Amino acid sequence: MSVVSENAQPVVSGKAAEKIALENNKLHKRLCRLVGQAIGDFNMIEDGDKVMVCLSGGKDSYALLDILLTLRERAPIHFDVVAVNLDQKQPGFPEDVLPTYLTSLGIPFHIENQDTYSIVKRLIPEGKTTCSLCSRLRRGILYRVADELGCNKIALGHHRDDILETFFLNMFFGGKLKGMPAKLVSDDGKHMVIRPMAYVKEEDTERYAEVKNFPIIPCNLCGSQENLQRKHIKGMLREWEKKHPGRVENIYSSLSTVVPSHLMDRDLFSFTDLQIDGVANPNGDVAFDEDPCSTPDTTPGIITLQREL
């Protein structure tokens, strides 16, 4: 049951408070489990690593830092964490928020001051998407900072939904089957970029940010561009999830269940050398099956979709 205090702020007590505490604890455990699973599946963090966590001031990077600090205390290996924020000199950016928050955590951090905002606004016409140039500038600066801090891993706060959105953006507008990998070597070939929250849903980071009361800092540089294609993709995925539960989960699972022989990339699979060998292939052609799109119930990590009538 809820009561209202003298200053009109709702106060939750009794069983309701216990239920909220239980749900919050379950959320924290789920995030730790999913992040830990992704780190293990892709061997993201090893003994002796120094991980630079890129902290933007958004909900996702706050969640990433929080969960990594928790896992560091439990991990059987030793790794160091340093938080790094790139202050891009956006007008009205609250410079004291992140230093105050990071100081309260008692962890090493570095604030890099670079006026990329003015560069982007000067070079990109009004109303055009700034993300591409902004990300290139950020990337180069963060690689340099990682070198200066002696970090061999760069951790980014992208989650499952970011990966799916990037997949569809590349498909719809780039003509490529290309997503956002959980682990890759950086452009300069000197660092390993990791995305420990690759298995985490955005709705969980949204709720976790509310639970932890992170001091969120909005990005006014790109956040005001309402017509970004990524926002349209996000809306499409959320609509699918409402109307067809399981569809988005299936799409995400497909990114790790690729059958090159059933696509059309001649560099990925040698179609020209394909020959009849008389040997049965259990994963072979199913083009004449009654329902080639069905998925066996025994397939791990895949949700079987019912045929729509």
Side-chain angles (χ1 to χ4, degrees), residues 242-259:
K242 289 179 183 177
K243 292 184 177 181
H244 311 283
R247 175 181 288 185
V248 173
E249 199 68 39
N250 260 6
I251 296 171
Y252 186 76
S253 296
S254 73
L255 298 181
S256 58
T257 314
V258 180
V259 184

Side-chain angles (χ1 to χ4, degrees), residues 151-202:
C151 298
N152 64 319
K153 299 285 177 67
I154 300 176
L156 304 179
H158 298 121
H159 45 63
R160 187 203 70 166
D161 298 70
D162 289 323
I163 292 173
L164 282 172
E165 290 160 18
T166 300
F167 173 74
F168 281 106
L169 282 169
N170 281 316
M171 184 189 299
F172 292 167
F173 305 105
K176 298 179 181 178
L177 283 179
K178 178 183 176 182
M180 183 183 281
K183 179 182 179 182
L184 76 158
V185 175
S186 60
D187 294 356
D188 61 5
K190 298 178 181 178
H191 309 96
M192 192 69 73
V193 177
I194 58 176
R195 295 182 170 97
M197 295 208 302
Y199 294 161
V200 174
K201 296 179 181 180
E202 183 175 23

Side-chain angles (χ1 to χ4, degrees), residues 265-279:
D265 191 328
R266 293 174 313 218
D267 293 327
L268 197 61
F269 185 84
S270 182
F271 292 97
T272 57
D273 296 330
L274 194 60
Q275 299 291 329
I276 297 172
D277 58 12
V279 178

Side-chain angles (χ1 to χ4, degrees), residues 55 62 65-66 69 83 96-109 212-215:
L55 192 65
Y62 274 124
L65 177 62
D66 187 272
L69 291 176
D96 62 312
V97 171
L98 285 172
T100 299
Y101 174 76
L102 294 169
T103 298
S104 71
L105 294 181
I107 65 167
F109 69 90
K212 300 290 289 188
N213 195 28
F214 293 136

Side-chain angles (χ1 to χ4, degrees), residues 54-70:
C54 298
L55 192 65
S56 66
K59 64 181 180 3
D60 304 322
S61 58
Y62 274 124
L64 172 62
L65 177 62
D66 187 272
I67 298 301
L68 280 183
L69 291 176
T70 299

Side-chain angles (χ1 to χ4, degrees), residues 249-250 252-254 256-257 295-305:
E249 199 68 39
N250 260 6
Y252 186 76
S253 296
S254 73
S256 58
T257 314
T295 306
D297 292 332
T298 55
T299 303
I302 304 290
I303 300 173
T304 301
L305 296 181

